[in-house]
Amino acid sequence: MSFKAVDRQRLFVGGSWAEPDGGYYAVVDPASEETVGWAPEASRDQVHAACAAAREAFGPWSRTSPEERAAVLGRAADIIRGHLVPYAELAQAETGATTGTARGMQVGVGAARFRRYARVEPAEWAIPPQINEAGPMGKAGVMGALAVRQPVGVVTCITSYNNPWANPAGKIAPALAMGNTVVVKPAPQDPLSVYRMAEALEAAGAPPGVVNVVCGRSVEVGEAAVSCPDVDMVSFTGSTAVGQRIAEVCGRDMKRQLMELGGKGAAVVLDDADLGSAVAGIGTTFSFYSGQICTAPTRVLAQRGVYDRLVEQLAAYAGRLKVGDPRERDTVVGPLISAAHRDRVEAYVELGRKEGAVVVAGGERPSLDTGFYVTPTLLADCTNDMRVAREEIFGPVVVVIPFDDEDEGVALANDSDYGLIDYVWSGDVARAFRVARRLRAGGVGVNTVGRNMEAPFGGFKRSGVGRDVGSYALHAYSEVQAIVWPG
């Protein structure tokens, strides 16, 4: 490893760095299988102390002017950007991301998100005044009304392991901008980067208790961060199964929720599509985070006129990708996050074989001495009732399903428990938009897998509750309050 390993990381609670009650556990580099550092195991009491610190800090921070809060976020963005290389090296060691991904999509996007919420426009706060000219007392009882946004309170942010910079920043920055305080519980596989984020915010002038970070492998840590009475809202990114359990707890206490959950994105490739564009877009499933991303187009629905050519070209594309050490410049596909997750992905590939799918590319481990790798895998001749087509695999595995006409393609795309991001490829843009409007997903990419970072992000069905990104995140982390007065 090219950076100094983290000896013993302490918790960040109430502006102080605290020794964990539960000791430390090893964070493992998924490429080298070496120890990256030692992460703290918080106790339930320490999690509750973090929530109490956030509650105490909430009043003063929520009364701080938006401009002062924005200045803290802006300084944090500058600090993160100034430490881009060492931060990216740590993120790479924790996650197995390639160098370009660690620098650009992890740390780079994290800094950009702090910068974005350091420049909140007044229009993003305000709601147009409403005048009631015909109230219950007629025109003589005209009332003025103003709707304003208020912070929710203490927000628990539970983040995913695939991106320890962009995902936490996407929660912390808009929550702080709106005047909330936060308790961050990062994924146990790669929490060290989130503590660097806390250091940046501390150096930027965030008052004690405004940002708190606690972590651990025990389920008790997350449960305490969700159920604590001091918490008003939970923002979660992760699996649908865990999200459902969190939602049950939140429901008992009427806590606000923002849930970004699983996905099984359908990529509808119509018979007039540019196959080169479709292959390049779908192929990001193999390379981007090694398929460990909920927005990936993992379920390809190909119209029969292009089915055979698409399968052939996807197989060739997958076969050209270099799998290996993410620190090498020509590596495209890095490791999965852990040995346990590698075993899970491999089990799905074997299940696909048993279900009748044909493995036309990949399906085995590469001949590497260390690391949790799976080669890019393409399963053809699938049907939509196969488990590999219905369940989120979260790895470099793509399934291909044929369909006859447009209606069947839409029906297959919508026949899913998930509805996060779908995709449509067609040479006829009007046709592509017509199909996109029929898809039951929170977002649809037309001839692209790119994202607009101001567009609302979130899912239909079991893919989530609520929307974030851009102004939508500010709305997610705020309550709307009505103030009325005699006209």
Side-chain angles (χ1 to χ4, degrees), residues 11 18 75 105 117 141 176 185 209 237 244 251 261 306 319 323 333 341 345 395 411 418 449 459 470:
L11 304 167
R75 289 192 294 270
M105 300 306 297
Y117 295 105
L176 296 187
K185 192 274 177 187
T237 299
Q244 288 173 313
L261 306 179
V306 296
V323 181
V333 182
H341 189 55
V345 172
Y418 298 105
V449 293

Side-chain angles (χ1 to χ4, degrees), residues 186-424:
Q189 297 93 333
D190 54 3
L192 302 175
S193 290
V194 182
Y195 287 100
R196 303 291 79 74
M197 192 181 300
E199 288 177 351
L201 283 160
E202 181 185 32
V210 169
V211 177
N212 307 270
V213 184
V214 292
C215 70
R217 293 173 298 178
S218 170
V219 173
E220 181 183 64
V221 176
E223 289 178 344
V226 170
S227 63
C228 181
D230 282 318
V231 171
D232 302 293
M233 174 179 173
V234 177
S235 177
F236 171 72
T237 299
S239 72
T240 296
V242 175
Q244 288 173 313
R245 294 198 292 272
I246 291 173
E248 289 172 1
V249 175
C250 289
R252 288 196 293 269
D253 294 324
M254 299 303 292
K255 295 180 181 182
R256 174 77 73 85
Q257 305 165 44
L258 178 60
M259 298 281 183
E260 183 205 331
L261 306 179
K264 191 71 176 179
V268 181
V269 183
L270 298 167
D271 53 11
D272 60 353
D274 177 340
L275 291 192
S277 172
V279 168
I282 295 163
T284 60
T285 300
F286 302 131
S287 56
F288 194 45
Y289 301 129
S290 302
Q292 299 169 114
I293 184 166
C294 53
T295 58
T298 57
R299 187 168 57 110
V300 178
L301 309 174
Q303 199 160 9
R304 290 194 186 275
V306 296
Y307 177 83
D308 289 338
R309 284 182 291 147
L310 183 64
V311 169
E312 180 182 358
Q313 290 181 32
L314 277 172
Y317 184 96
R320 290 194 298 268
L321 302 178
K322 181 189 173 183
V323 181
D325 185 347
R327 295 172 181 83
E328 295 181 3
R329 296 187 64 178
D330 57 345
T331 293
V332 179
V333 182
L336 299 178
I337 193 67
S338 67
H341 189 55
R342 176 190 59 192
D343 293 345
R344 178 180 181 274
V345 172
E346 289 177 332
Y348 266 110
V349 174
E350 183 59 30
L351 174 63
R353 285 192 176 99
K354 292 178 180 177
E355 290 181 311
V358 177
V359 180
V360 294
E364 74 285 330
R365 294 184 189 181
S367 55
L368 297 167
D369 294 333
T370 62
F372 311 129
Y373 295 94
V374 172
T375 54
T377 300
L378 183 68
L379 303 178
D381 296 343
C382 296
T383 58
N384 208 43
D385 59 351
M386 292 179 177
R387 285 180 60 192
V388 290
R390 303 198 68 82
E391 298 176 14
E392 187 176 39
I393 298 173
F394 221 60
V397 180
V398 171
V399 303
V400 190
I401 302 167
F403 70 90
D404 289 312
D405 57 28
E406 191 175 300
D407 287 343
E408 183 187 9
V410 170
L412 287 170
N414 290 335
D415 181 16
S416 173
D417 291 336
Y418 298 105
L420 187 57
I421 304 264
D422 285 346
Y423 304 88
V424 181

Side-chain angles (χ1 to χ4, degrees), residues 391-481:
E391 298 176 14
E392 187 176 39
I393 298 173
F394 221 60
V397 180
V398 171
V399 303
V400 190
I401 302 167
F403 70 90
D404 289 312
D405 57 28
E406 191 175 300
D407 287 343
E408 183 187 9
V410 170
L412 287 170
N414 290 335
D415 181 16
S416 173
D417 291 336
Y418 298 105
L420 187 57
I421 304 264
D422 285 346
Y423 304 88
V424 181
W425 270 274
S426 172
D428 182 339
V429 174
R431 182 188 188 193
F433 270 80
R434 180 177 70 238
V435 171
R437 291 293 299 273
R438 297 176 65 189
L439 298 179
R440 297 290 296 165
V444 182
V446 173
N447 294 328
T448 184
V449 293
R451 292 259 311 275
N452 181 317
M453 298 312 293
E454 291 297 314
F457 179 72
F460 288 11
K461 298 181 278 188
R462 294 191 180 186
S463 285
V465 176
R467 295 293 182 271
D468 66 0
V469 180
S471 299
Y472 298 90
L474 297 171
H475 303 168
Y477 293 100
S478 65
E479 297 277 17
V480 177
Q481 180 185 61

